[in-house]
């Protein structure tokens, strides 16, 4: 069983920065993918950034150039550095892991960006 715990959300003004962290407990293989999704009020959950392997990273177009995902394989951590935040980045951010084709989710952390 894999458990994901996020931290680092909060309230920030537009243009500010936040860093989200997610730690995974359980068996996480180096081939497992980890990343971040978000869900804004009234909208579907969407991909923000994902690390599929040490050489493969994907970002949503809306966050390219502003957000950076990184992963610490030794400690089963994944980070999301968010710079230049905009009000439209507001939402609940969920950590996600895919381990042997099974998908796991964290409980989510709220990010609110004010004007």
């Amino acid at each position: 069983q894999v458990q994901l715990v996020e931290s680092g959300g909060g309230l920030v003004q537009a243009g500010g920065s936040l860093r989200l962290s997610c730690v995974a407990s359980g068996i996480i293989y180096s081939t497992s993918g980890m990343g971040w999704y978000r869900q804004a009020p009234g909208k579907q959950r969407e991909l923000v950034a994902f690390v599929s392997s040490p050489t493969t990273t994907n970002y949503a177009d809306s966050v390219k150039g502003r957000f950076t995902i990184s992963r610490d394989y030794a400690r089963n951590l994944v980070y999301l550095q968010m710079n230049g935040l905009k009000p439209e980045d507001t939402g609940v951010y969920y950590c996600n892991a895919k381990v042997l084709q099974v998908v796991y989710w964290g409980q989510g952390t709220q990010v609110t960006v004010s004007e």
Side-chain angles (χ1 to χ4, degrees), residues 38-92:
R38 69 186 178 190
Q39 188 165 18
K43 295 188 176 181
Q44 289 188 332
R45 194 173 296 189
E46 63 176 1
L47 171 71
V48 177
F50 199 83
V51 180
S52 302
S53 74
T55 58
T56 304
T57 302
N58 295 304
Y59 291 94
D61 288 342
S62 59
V63 306
K64 284 180 181 177
R66 300 187 298 122
F67 291 10
T68 302
I69 189 170
S70 59
R71 189 166 163 187
D72 183 335
Y73 285 85
R75 297 193 295 165
N76 288 339
L77 283 159
V78 64
Y79 302 100
L80 185 68
Q81 177 66 43
M82 305 186 292
N83 300 326
L85 282 160
K86 304 175 181 180
E88 51 264 43
D89 294 318
T90 294
V92 179

